[in-house]
Amino acid sequence: MEYPDFDGEAFELVVEKEYDGWRVDKLISQYREDLSRSYIQKLIEEGRVLVGGKKVKTGFKVSSNSQIQVYLPPLKELLVEPENIPLDILYEDEDVILINKGKDMVVHPAAGHYSGTLVNALLYHCKGKLSGINGVLRPGIVHRIDRNTTGVIVACKNDRAHQALSEQLKLHSITRKYNALVHESFKEKNGRVEGAIGRHPIDRKKMAINEKNGKPAITHYTVLENFGKKYAHIECQLETGRTHQIRVHMASINHPLLGDEVYGRAKSPFSLEGQALHARVLGFLHPTTKNYMEFEAPLPEYFSALISQLRRMEQGERK
């Protein structure tokens, strides 16, 4: 794809039948959830969105099979500013920093959203000393967890450490254990879910089991506690790390996470802000010492309170 003076990211998509007649800005926001609607509208006004090779207006409605091309402007380093946001630091040295991330915090900025993220907080705390491998929007970030998933995440302060941990991720040698609260109890004590994960063929905001176009994904789970017949507390260990892996895999075997607004059930008797998922354990070989290190983030208050509520519900059912 070519664009005058273009030197940023570009992507294209073909309008599927289900989106015939949609506004072009709405469709793009469905395809790329990291781009805000207002930011997409600005791109359209700047002539950076083409439909069938032609510039369009914001309210333009697309037809099925039309080809859309989107040209993002180059990212500017100054757009990501250090912010004095408190961090729950589990460990820190010259190479790595381990954070216990809270709910409702995005890991790294995305186009149109440049503040309040973990990266903004790390830039302030580490005084800019973060690896640069992932560019200006994701300095130091080796892996990510969803906005409403809590728990331990590691960032790197230099490229050498970043490359070492990235290699361990590629080899699936990093220990990643999550605690989750899910619908439906289990008969078995342990299990394994295997299913390639890729973009959902219709809803572009979702991931799905997609054996044709997805990437291999394996999740191991252990049942920690059943609460009657309706709910359970499990530990999931990732063998691979795909986007929304635990949420997609557990939903695929009829055990969606409590509070999951994307893959969960429509009605929930609990007041939750997003899925009940906590990245509890992260272990890896230290990039300098080569010693195995393991870090644990305690269950957050909301998670422990929900477990207590589920136990009370189970006791009530027994009476």
Side-chain angles (χ1 to χ4, degrees):
M1 292 184 283
E2 296 181 358
Y3 187 90
D5 301 322
F6 170 71
D7 59 353
E9 180 192 350
F11 65 90
E12 60 182 29
L13 59 141
V14 176
V15 180
E16 297 170 359
K17 185 177 180 180
E18 292 80 3
Y19 298 111
D20 184 68
W22 276 42
R23 284 174 53 124
V24 65
D25 56 336
K26 181 181 179 182
L27 176 60
I28 296 171
S29 69
Q30 185 85 348
Y31 182 80
R32 283 286 297 269
E33 60 180 350
D34 58 323
L35 303 179
S36 69
R37 190 86 169 267
S38 59
Y39 182 74
I40 294 168
Q41 291 170 352
K42 182 182 178 186
L43 294 177
I44 294 172
E45 292 169 0
E46 293 176 350
R48 290 183 170 271
V49 174
L50 307 181
V51 179
K54 297 180 180 179
K55 297 178 183 179
V56 295
K57 294 184 177 180
T58 302
F60 182 83
K61 295 184 178 180
V62 299
S63 302
S64 58
N65 295 319
S66 296
Q67 187 176 56
I68 301 175
Q69 298 171 325
V70 182
Y71 302 86
L72 303 178
L75 301 173
K76 298 178 181 179
E77 187 169 5
L78 293 178
L79 290 175
V80 187
E81 298 286 352
E83 294 180 34
N84 188 7
I85 301 171
L87 290 172
D88 182 0
I89 299 172
L90 300 173
Y91 174 83
E92 181 178 11
D93 61 24
E94 294 300 312
D95 294 309
V96 297
I97 180 170
L98 281 292
I99 304 296
N100 180 15
K101 188 187 84 66
K103 258 192 184 293
D104 200 33
M105 175 180 257
V106 176
V107 170
H108 59 75
H113 301 277
Y114 294 101
S115 64
T117 73
L118 179 61
V119 162
N120 294 105
L122 287 171
L123 284 171
Y124 181 90
H125 176 81
C126 299
K127 298 179 173 58
K129 293 181 179 179
L130 294 168
S131 64
I133 290 176
N134 278 340
V136 296
L137 286 184
R138 295 180 289 276
I141 302 301
V142 182
H143 67 117
R144 60 180 292 275
I145 54 179
D146 296 331
R147 185 188 73 185
N148 284 320
T149 297
T150 56
V152 60
I153 183 172
V154 62
C156 291
K157 294 185 174 182
N158 55 68
D159 289 355
R160 179 183 54 78
H162 193 130
Q163 289 169 342
L165 264 64
S166 293
E167 186 62 25
Q168 291 180 56
L169 275 173
K170 190 183 300 182
L171 296 173
H172 310 309
S173 62
I174 287 183
T175 302
R176 285 173 291 174
K177 295 180 181 179
Y178 290 71
N179 284 55
L181 294 170
V182 302
H183 288 272
E184 308 300 335
S185 61
F186 292 80
K187 293 181 180 179
E188 72 278 8
K189 181 66 177 175
N190 302 284
R192 179 179 186 270
V193 185
E194 182 172 1
I197 293 178
R199 188 67 60 179
H200 193 286
I202 297 175
D203 189 342
R204 306 303 295 183
K205 283 189 176 182
K206 297 173 66 173
M207 307 301 288
I209 301 293
N210 189 334
E211 298 297 343
K212 182 179 180 181
N213 300 313
K215 295 181 179 180
I218 298 173
T219 303
H220 302 270
Y221 64 86
T222 300
V223 180
L224 301 176
E225 185 175 3
N226 281 319
F227 306 103
K229 296 181 179 179
K230 294 183 178 179
Y231 308 103
H233 179 198
I234 63 173
E235 177 187 90
C236 293
Q237 183 158 352
L238 296 181
E239 189 169 317
T240 56
R242 309 302 177 200
T243 301
H244 298 176
Q245 179 171 317
I246 293 173
R247 298 165 64 188
V248 171
H249 272 175
M250 297 316 298
S252 75
I253 60 170
N254 198 35
H255 291 282
L257 273 62
L258 271 62
D260 194 330
E261 299 171 354
V262 178
Y263 306 101
R265 297 180 179 174
K267 294 183 179 180
S268 173
F270 310 102
S271 297
L272 292 172
E273 296 179 7
Q275 63 278 357
L277 183 63
H278 177 67
R280 186 174 55 85
V281 174
L282 184 68
F284 54 85
L285 295 178
H286 190 278
T288 297
T289 67
K290 310 303 180 185
N291 293 327
Y292 180 77
M293 304 180 74
E294 191 169 279
F295 304 91
E296 182 168 350
L299 292 177
E301 185 177 346
Y302 92 89
F303 202 105
S304 298
L306 186 52
I307 289 176
S308 297
Q309 183 180 352
L310 292 171
R311 285 174 180 160
R312 289 194 298 271
M313 289 173 60
E314 181 187 9
Q315 290 171 357
E317 290 175 359
R318 289 177 179 176
K319 293 180 180 180

